[in-house]
Amino acid sequence: SPFNIIYLMLGEKLALTATAIVIILKASMAAATFQIFITKYLRKSYYETVLFSMMYALCGFQVCYYFDLMWMDAFYMLPVIALGIYKLVREKKILCLMFSYTYVFAVNFYMGYIVGMGSFFLFLLYFLYTNKGKGLKEKIAVQGRYFMCVVAAMLIPAAIWLPAVIQLLGNIENNYPAFSLQECNLLLIINNL
């Protein structure tokens, strides 16, 4: 996460202070991005939007998972992804969605996957809601742009993941030679779940 630079700036002695600063900044980012989404989507700026932004930033997920700092990156990017879906469906612009997906996948793939699945359902519902009565060709074009965004957003951070995966696989084979001899069976899968 770009916010991890704060740890480098403050050093090891002030790690707790750096953690508090990062939590506050990420919660503030969640409020700010939600405020931007509400303002752009509703095209209005009222005092209530500030209230709803604060409610989003301090919701149960944020409060319960504040200690998983990397998960908070996906949380403040969710409104940006929703705005990207809005722009893709309404205005046929793909860059906001593609770059926000890329950022989430690069920063934390696990939460990026969760946000990606949730935003896919958002896209599906919004697409069905806004494309009533449109031609089949136009519907396929919107879906194609969406899937192109997702594929591009997964391939761009692959430059980060590929060396890490190769390193991890090399370490697994060197340190745990019995790992490759294990067979995958139903009992092992159930046990791991």
Side-chain angles (χ1 to χ4, degrees), residues 127-135 139:
F127 172 77
L128 293 173
Y129 176 74
T130 58
N131 284 307
K132 294 177 187 172
K134 292 189 178 176
K139 289 179 181 179

Side-chain angles (χ1 to χ4, degrees), residues 142-161:
V142 171
Q143 292 172 358
R145 280 192 294 274
Y146 177 77
F147 288 111
M148 185 178 68
C149 279
V150 172
V151 169
M154 290 177 73
L155 290 177
I156 292 169
I160 298 169
W161 301 333

Side-chain angles (χ1 to χ4, degrees), residues 89-116:
V89 173
R90 289 279 184 177
E91 304 168 11
K92 299 176 183 166
K93 296 180 180 176
I94 64 171
L95 288 180
C96 178
L97 183 63
M98 186 177 68
F99 286 130
S100 55
Y101 270 147
T102 301
Y103 178 79
V104 170
F105 291 152
V107 170
N108 186 320
F109 183 75
Y110 174 73
M111 282 305 288
Y113 173 75
I114 301 296
V115 166

